[in-house]
Amino acid sequence: MKKETIKIGLLGLGTVGSGVYQILTQNSKDIERKLGAKIEIKRIAVRNLAKPRALVTDQKLLTDNLDHVLLDPEIDIVVETMGGLEEARWAIASALERGKFVVTANKDLMAQYGIELLKIAKEQERNIYYEASVGGGIPIIRPLKNCLAANRIVKIMGIINGTTNYILTKMSCENMEFEAALAEAQAKGFAEANPASDIEGWDAAYKLNIMASLAFSSRIKMDDIHVEGITEVKLRDIRYAQELGYAIKLLAIGEEKQNGLSLRVHPTLIPQSHPLAAVKNEFNAVFLEGDAVGEVMLYGRGAGALPTGSAVCGDIMEAARAIKKEVQNGILEATFTEKPIISLAAQSSRFYVRLKAKDEPGVFAQLAAAFGNADVSLDRIIQKRSVEKTAEIVLVTHDVKEGNFMQAISSLRAMEAIRSINSILRVVE
Ligand code: HSE
């Protein structure tokens, strides 16, 4: 079909929506040349019409009624950048049922209702594009669906939350306190409306759900993912990790093992020589290993108006090509099965522990015995400093089953010589 103009409707004009508007406006000529068609923003639904929006020159484009986008027969593509769950879920389903293509940046939604919405898209012979839902401007969804599709992906490991990476970078490089670094990330527009989702690891978990579903061709529920955020990471742990040759990063990790999938988000010590350790500030990176391709790393800006807008606009162009019938429109996600999930207790890891103990003869021996009795082998054990007969001890285990490690920790908690266990973090080599 030769369509000279593809009309789109935007739902939401916040950080991402504004980025999309700006890119479509400033790069309109290039986009038209590459696409062979013009992209026209026909309508923009916003929550508050009274809010001044200097970016939009024609105020008539704005409406506070979603139906003015969803029911407009001229609109070919609905672009959802309003966020949230239930209203966005309803709006996307209605858009698809009215024969529109959909582009969304909404990871919370795609992680929890993606399969349901993709089924509707398939029934309607339409599609949902969601490149912007993971890693902002970094291409990751399309590489997993297309370029790397012939591989068996063994492992995928990413820094996929810009806010927490920004906070950890500021803490480790500038000795900045957690709260001050979070405030800066919020001011720069990286953080979610409710930053609890960033710092408690949920934003990364939604993104891991989406990436791992595609990497392992499996339907993944949020309950399948073990999630820990960075709220308990202290400046002191960052310093000690540095002394041991590690950086601390919030990693989202998915692995396919013989007995199933291991899926987790947690702060992790990684060697300073690992490429992910060099990923600083709000930057994101995904490091994956395929049986054919080997190691691949994708790096870029994972948040912010223009980087995320870049991915959304790429998707709008892809949808436009489908409308012009220039590309196939296959939805492979609908064919996924469900692979077994390996429980956390059965997974293995190395652990970093920081604790306080009485500084007196025999304490190291008791510690070593508690770990030995649980079949946990220690790699390093260092007494950091002693203040008022209390020693701070840092230790790193070899690779152990989580279950065994937790058994050792329970015995430590019961020991009279142990004053407190202050920090437990996993280590990836
Ligand atoms: N809050 C997210 C982040 C923004 O910090 O990475 C993009 O999803």
Side-chain angles (χ1 to χ4, degrees), residues 167-197:
I167 293 173
L168 292 172
T169 305
K170 291 284 161 185
M171 286 173 81
S172 61
C173 300
E174 294 174 28
N175 272 333
M176 200 184 248
E177 289 303 337
F178 179 90
E179 287 74 17
L182 171 60
E184 269 196 22
Q186 284 177 296
K188 293 189 169 196
F190 311 142
E192 295 302 296
N194 174 8
S197 182

Coordinates of all heavy atoms in Angstrom, one line a residue, residues 167-197:
I167 N 23.3 6.7 40.8 CA 23.5 6.8 42.3 C 24.8 6.1 42.7 O 25.6 6.6 43.4 CB 22.3 6.2 43.1 CG1 21.1 7.1 42.8 CG2 22.6 6.1 44.6 CD1 19.8 6.5 43.4
L168 N 25.0 4.8 42.2 CA 26.1 4.0 42.6 C 27.4 4.7 42.1 O 28.5 4.7 42.8 CB 26.0 2.6 42.1 CG 24.9 1.7 42.8 CD1 24.8 0.4 42.0 CD2 25.2 1.5 44.2
T169 N 27.3 5.3 40.9 CA 28.5 6.0 40.3 C 28.9 7.2 41.2 O 30.1 7.4 41.6 CB 28.3 6.5 38.9 OG1 27.8 5.4 38.1 CG2 29.5 7.1 38.3
K170 N 27.9 8.0 41.6 CA 28.2 9.2 42.4 C 28.7 8.8 43.7 O 29.6 9.4 44.3 CB 26.9 10.0 42.5 CG 26.4 10.7 41.2 CD 27.3 11.8 40.9 CE 27.2 12.2 39.4 NZ 28.1 13.2 39.0
M171 N 28.1 7.7 44.3 CA 28.6 7.2 45.6 C 30.1 6.8 45.5 O 30.9 7.1 46.3 CB 27.8 6.1 46.1 CG 26.4 6.5 46.6 SD 25.3 5.1 47.0 CE 25.9 4.6 48.6
S172 N 30.4 6.0 44.4 CA 31.7 5.4 44.4 C 32.8 6.4 43.9 O 33.9 6.4 44.3 CB 31.8 4.2 43.6 OG 31.4 4.4 42.3
C173 N 32.4 7.3 43.0 CA 33.4 8.3 42.4 C 33.5 9.6 43.1 O 34.5 10.3 43.1 CB 33.2 8.5 40.9 SG 33.2 7.0 40.0
E174 N 32.4 10.0 43.8 CA 32.4 11.3 44.4 C 32.0 11.3 45.8 O 31.7 12.4 46.4 CB 31.4 12.2 43.6 CG 31.8 12.5 42.2 CD 30.8 13.3 41.4 OE1 30.0 14.0 41.9 OE2 30.8 13.1 40.1
N175 N 32.0 10.1 46.4 CA 31.6 10.0 47.9 C 30.3 10.6 48.2 O 30.1 11.1 49.3 CB 32.7 10.7 48.7 CG 33.8 9.8 49.1 OD1 33.6 8.6 49.1 ND2 35.0 10.3 49.3
M176 N 29.4 10.7 47.2 CA 28.1 11.4 47.4 C 27.2 10.5 48.2 O 27.3 9.3 48.1 CB 27.5 11.7 46.0 CG 26.5 12.8 46.1 SD 25.8 13.0 44.4 CE 26.4 14.6 44.0
E177 N 26.4 11.1 49.0 CA 25.4 10.3 49.8 C 24.3 9.9 48.8 O 24.0 10.5 47.8 CB 24.8 11.2 50.9 CG 25.7 11.5 52.0 CD 26.3 10.3 52.7 OE1 25.7 9.2 52.6 OE2 27.4 10.4 53.3
F178 N 23.7 8.8 49.2 CA 22.6 8.2 48.4 C 21.5 9.2 48.1 O 21.1 9.3 46.9 CB 22.0 7.0 49.3 CG 20.9 6.3 48.6 CD1 21.2 5.2 47.8 CD2 19.6 6.7 48.8 CE1 20.1 4.5 47.2 CE2 18.6 6.0 48.2 CZ 18.8 4.9 47.4
E179 N 21.0 9.9 49.1 CA 19.8 10.8 48.9 C 20.1 11.9 47.9 O 19.3 12.2 47.0 CB 19.3 11.4 50.2 CG 18.6 10.5 51.1 CD 19.6 9.5 51.8 OE1 20.8 9.7 51.8 OE2 19.1 8.4 52.3
A180 N 21.4 12.5 48.0 CA 21.7 13.6 47.1 C 21.8 13.1 45.7 O 21.4 13.8 44.7 CB 23.1 14.2 47.6
A181 N 22.4 11.9 45.5 CA 22.6 11.3 44.1 C 21.2 11.0 43.5 O 21.0 11.3 42.3 CB 23.4 10.1 44.2
L182 N 20.3 10.5 44.4 CA 18.9 10.2 43.9 C 18.2 11.5 43.4 O 17.6 11.6 42.3 CB 18.1 9.5 44.9 CG 16.6 9.3 44.6 CD1 16.4 8.5 43.4 CD2 15.9 8.7 45.8
A183 N 18.4 12.6 44.2 CA 17.8 13.9 43.9 C 18.3 14.4 42.5 O 17.5 14.9 41.7 CB 18.0 14.9 45.0
E184 N 19.6 14.2 42.3 CA 20.2 14.6 41.0 C 19.6 13.8 39.8 O 19.3 14.3 38.8 CB 21.7 14.4 41.0 CG 22.4 15.6 41.5 CD 23.9 15.6 41.2 OE1 24.3 14.9 40.2 OE2 24.6 16.3 41.9
A185 N 19.5 12.5 40.1 CA 18.9 11.6 39.0 C 17.5 12.0 38.7 O 17.1 12.0 37.5 CB 19.0 10.1 39.4
Q186 N 16.7 12.4 39.7 CA 15.3 12.8 39.5 C 15.3 14.1 38.7 O 14.5 14.2 37.8 CB 14.6 13.0 40.9 CG 14.3 11.6 41.5 CD 13.6 11.8 42.9 OE1 14.3 12.3 43.8 NE2 12.4 11.4 43.0
A187 N 16.2 15.0 39.1 CA 16.2 16.3 38.4 C 16.6 16.2 37.0 O 16.1 16.9 36.1 CB 17.2 17.3 39.1
K188 N 17.4 15.2 36.6 CA 17.8 15.0 35.2 C 16.8 14.2 34.4 O 17.0 13.9 33.3 CB 19.2 14.3 35.2 CG 20.3 15.2 35.8 CD 21.6 14.6 35.5 CE 22.6 15.7 35.9 NZ 23.9 15.5 35.4
G189 N 15.7 13.7 35.1 CA 14.6 13.1 34.4 C 14.9 11.6 34.1 O 14.2 11.0 33.3
F190 N 15.8 10.9 34.9 CA 16.0 9.5 34.7 C 15.0 8.7 35.5 O 14.7 7.6 35.1 CB 17.4 9.1 35.1 CG 18.5 9.9 34.6 CD1 19.6 10.2 35.3 CD2 18.5 10.4 33.3 CE1 20.7 11.0 34.8 CE2 19.5 11.2 32.8 CZ 20.6 11.5 33.5
A191 N 14.7 9.2 36.7 CA 14.0 8.4 37.7 C 12.5 8.2 37.3 O 11.9 9.1 36.6 CB 14.1 9.0 39.0
E192 N 11.9 7.2 37.8 CA 10.5 7.0 37.6 C 9.7 8.0 38.4 O 10.3 8.6 39.4 CB 10.1 5.6 38.1 CG 10.7 4.5 37.3 CD 10.3 4.5 35.9 OE1 9.1 4.4 35.5 OE2 11.2 4.7 35.0
A193 N 8.4 8.2 38.1 CA 7.6 9.1 38.9 C 7.7 8.7 40.4 O 7.8 9.6 41.3 CB 6.1 9.0 38.4
N194 N 7.7 7.4 40.7 CA 7.9 7.0 42.0 C 9.2 6.3 42.1 O 9.3 5.1 41.6 CB 6.7 6.1 42.5 CG 7.0 5.4 43.8 OD1 8.0 5.8 44.5 ND2 6.2 4.5 44.2
P195 N 10.3 6.9 42.5 CA 11.6 6.3 42.4 C 11.8 5.0 43.2 O 12.9 4.4 43.0 CB 12.6 7.4 42.8 CG 11.8 8.3 43.7 CD 10.3 8.2 43.2
A196 N 10.8 4.7 44.0 CA 11.0 3.4 44.7 C 11.2 2.3 43.7 O 11.9 1.3 44.0 CB 9.7 3.2 45.6
S197 N 10.5 2.4 42.6 CA 10.6 1.3 41.6 C 12.1 1.2 41.1 O 12.5 0.1 40.8 CB 9.7 1.6 40.4 OG 9.7 0.6 39.4

